[in-house]
Amino acid sequence: MAIRTILTQGDPVLNKTCHPVTKFDHKLAVLLDDLKETLTQANGVGLAAPQVGILRRAVVVVDGTGEMLELVNPEIIAQKGEQDGLEGCLSVPGMWGYVKRPQWVRVKAQDRNGSWFETEGEGLTARCFCHELAHLDGHLYTELTDHLYTTEELDQMMEEQEAARQEERE
Ligand code: ZN
């Protein structure tokens, strides 16, 4: 296993469409293990193969229970509702934006051996599935938000909101 370098916005690889995985071999297993290790080290909730420079349809996502899922050739097959929330990306470090996503999604994918399975997620997990799958088609969340905040701006905004809530209570 190895930690791979995460590409950042501006690298043209992040805007390319990834190819389906057709060989469920040792190379794929190594890629999935490396994605997991890289995601753990980066302390994120999702990572897609193109973010480490590999144009293959494979992602890893941390679900609501903290388990790390491997999704090969994933597709969203159903979705419900809508949520608006803050999103960030390991390829866009230090920036955050509000993005609308479905509240719940159902995903079909293959495991590292090629077996198909279905999984579902809501809230943050649904957001994460949508975000990671968009990477496979060369899309970043920054296309879906009208304003990007720096971490400092966000901290300040949270403080102001907290102060406003305090005032309401008094
Ligand atoms: Zn991302």
Side-chain angles (χ1 to χ4, degrees):
M1 298 225 283
I3 307 255
R4 303 211 188 180
T5 304
I6 299 176
L7 306 179
T8 53
Q9 194 174 25
D11 192 306
V13 169
L14 292 173
N15 300 116
K16 297 208 163 114
T17 303
C18 296
H19 310 287
V21 171
T22 52
K23 283 188 198 138
F24 295 83
D25 55 7
H26 178 67
K27 215 171 145 188
L28 175 67
V30 170
L31 170 65
L32 290 166
D33 287 342
D34 287 358
L35 283 174
K36 284 174 157 178
E37 196 176 353
T38 306
L39 179 59
T40 302
Q41 204 232 10
N43 207 14
V45 289
L47 189 64
Q51 291 181 275
V52 297
I54 307 293
L55 288 172
R56 290 286 164 191
R57 303 188 80 85
V59 306
V60 293
V61 167
V62 179
D63 74 7
T65 67
E67 197 195 334
M68 213 182 271
L69 305 174
E70 304 173 359
L71 306 171
V72 178
N73 296 327
E75 272 173 62
I76 291 170
I77 52 170
Q79 60 180 65
K80 266 189 247 166
E82 191 180 72
Q83 56 169 325
D84 195 11
L86 272 175
E87 215 161 292
C89 178
L90 293 171
S91 293
V92 192
M95 304 298 282
W96 309 89
Y98 283 92
V99 181
K100 281 197 174 72
R101 299 284 192 189
Q103 177 60 27
W104 173 92
V105 297
R106 185 160 188 84
V107 177
K108 182 177 107 171
Q110 283 169 286
D111 66 15
R112 60 170 67 198
N113 302 310
S115 300
W116 287 97
F117 67 96
E118 290 185 12
T119 183
E120 56 185 60
E122 63 178 321
L124 184 63
T125 308
R127 175 173 295 285
C128 196
F129 282 141
C130 296
H131 178 118
E132 298 312 325
L133 268 60
H135 273 298
L136 303 180
D137 291 314
H139 296 297
L140 297 180
Y141 83 93
T142 51
E143 299 164 31
L144 302 173
T145 187
D146 45 20
H147 187 80
L148 284 178
Y149 299 92
T150 63
T151 306
E152 292 73 28
E153 284 173 327
L154 198 68
D155 285 346
Q156 203 190 340
M157 210 164 71
M158 295 295 173
E159 269 172 37
E160 282 167 10
Q161 280 175 6
E162 184 52 34
R165 272 198 292 271
Q166 289 279 4
E167 252 168 55
E168 268 169 36
R169 259 179 252 140
E170 279 159 14

